[in-house]
Amino acid sequence: MADELEPSGESPEHEDPGAHLPSPTIWPFAFAGAVALILVGLIVSTIASVIGVVLAVVFGFLWIRQATREVRGEPEPVEAPEPEAVESEEGPVRIERARFLEGATLGLGALIGAVVTLPVLGFTVLPAFVEQGFPDVDLGPLDKYPEGEWRIATFVGRPEDGNVSRRTAFVRYNGLADQVPSFTIISNRCVHLGCPTQPQGPPGEAEEVKTSAAPVTLTPTQPSGFGCPCHGGAYDIEGNRVAGPPVRSLDRYEYSIKDGNLFIGAPYSVGEVTGAGADAVVVRYRWTDPGVHVDGPEEYLYPYSP
């Protein structure tokens, strides 16, 4: 009996439990990092989002390639010997079958994720980058703008959008500059938080002017400057900030003359205006949201605006 209880010195052979596990890889972590870069780029920089998309495609491809290595017949680069096939009554059970199911599951999961995610990203992200321009708007004939006088022009930016696109600008005809009509067109949007500024002077009687697109309301005024009723921002007659919380001068608009009518174009941000009227020197920048510095070291502390 004692002999029967003595260990034989031999242990039964067991299959390595880790033999069927996929080899470690860093591609899932790299793919997750690329997705994080895309999300951060949506807030900080469009360039970062594009780089994130490229990296996500590359790392996703490498991840799928690594996971389906055995399915594609490429040997796994491991030092351990391949486990032997286990014989059963129904025949040999091959490890490649498990690899195939793993690869098929990953591929199907990626396809389902793309079908669910891409439409959502398209509807939430793309509208911020497409059809966001400013079409030219007809503000009426030039004879509605006497030289040296201001007009408060209220107009519809996109007639197809209705009153939701209604905007206001302060327009002054400066006379001829090099035989070309010169206008000063200042946005009424305060560059602190976007409140509507008001001319510091009494308004006259409003007049509705028919144009090629939609009627424009012109109200005469002779202001000494412009002020914001929300937080006390104050600007001089050329739109330079003189007091209050605004961080720069009022935005301005591009303009053009077509068939004797004044057309307002895209807005742009202004750092400072030197001089007045047709002789003014405007330091202009890409159009930027209110509260954002456009010059100096502070300009690098704000995210990119599409």
Side-chain angles (χ1 to χ4, degrees):
M1 295 293 295
D3 293 340
E4 294 179 0
L5 296 177
E6 289 181 0
S8 62
E10 296 181 359
S11 59
E13 293 184 358
H14 297 282
E15 183 180 357
D16 184 3
H20 296 278
L21 298 177
S23 59
T25 175
I26 64 170
W27 302 130
F29 302 98
F31 180 80
V35 173
L37 180 60
I38 295 174
L39 298 178
V40 172
L42 294 177
I43 302 175
V44 178
S45 172
T46 304
I47 298 177
S49 295
V50 174
I51 295 175
V53 170
V54 174
L55 293 179
V57 171
V58 173
F59 293 146
F61 172 78
L62 294 175
W63 183 12
I64 295 174
R65 181 180 176 83
Q66 177 73 17
T68 59
R69 182 184 297 273
E70 288 192 0
V71 178
R72 294 179 290 104
E74 297 183 13
E76 189 73 23
V78 294
E79 297 180 356
E82 293 291 337
E84 297 179 357
V86 179
E87 296 288 344
S88 65
E89 296 180 357
E90 298 179 355
V93 179
R94 303 174 60 187
I95 298 176
E96 287 75 7
R97 181 180 181 183
R99 293 292 189 184
F100 172 77
L101 293 176
E102 179 184 359
T105 302
L106 289 174
L108 182 60
L111 179 61
I112 295 174
V115 171
V116 173
T117 304
L118 292 180
V120 175
L121 289 177
F123 283 110
T124 56
V125 177
L126 288 182
F129 298 92
V130 297
E131 298 184 357
Q132 296 297 312
F134 293 87
D136 291 350
V137 179
D138 188 354
L139 295 187
L142 296 182
D143 58 15
K144 295 296 182 180
Y145 300 92
E147 183 174 350
E149 297 184 11
W150 288 92
R151 293 292 184 268
I152 305 173
T154 303
F155 56 95
V156 175
R158 295 179 181 270
E160 63 272 17
D161 295 338
N163 287 332
V164 71
S165 64
R166 185 173 295 276
R167 288 180 280 162
T168 299
F170 308 125
V171 184
R172 181 187 62 198
Y173 176 46
N174 302 318
L176 296 178
D178 297 330
Q179 304 303 315
V180 177
S182 170
F183 282 86
T184 297
I185 305 180
I186 299 177
S187 171
N188 79 321
R189 190 182 68 159
C190 180
V191 292
H192 174 221
L193 292 178
C195 294
T197 59
Q198 304 294 331
Q200 296 174 336
E205 185 177 353
E207 175 187 8
E208 185 175 271
V209 178
K210 301 295 183 180
T211 69
S212 58
V216 176
T217 301
L218 299 179
T219 305
T221 184
Q222 289 299 321
S224 58
F226 306 97
C228 178
C230 294
H231 307 99
Y235 308 87
D236 65 17
I237 197 65
E238 295 298 325
N240 286 308
R241 173 210 175 261
V242 295
V247 298
R248 62 177 194 263
S249 302
L250 287 173
D251 296 339
R252 293 196 174 200
Y253 284 96
E254 298 175 348
Y255 65 90
S256 58
I257 309 297
K258 303 176 183 178
D259 299 327
N261 281 24
L262 172 65
F263 282 76
I264 192 172
Y268 60 91
S269 294
V270 178
E272 183 181 6
V273 180
T274 305
D279 299 325
V281 178
V282 181
V283 181
R284 61 179 293 171
Y285 296 87
R286 179 180 53 85
W287 189 60
T288 310
D289 292 331
V292 178
H293 290 261
V294 294
D295 51 12
E298 297 93 345
E299 65 176 308
Y300 300 102
L301 302 179
Y302 296 89
Y304 174 79
S305 299

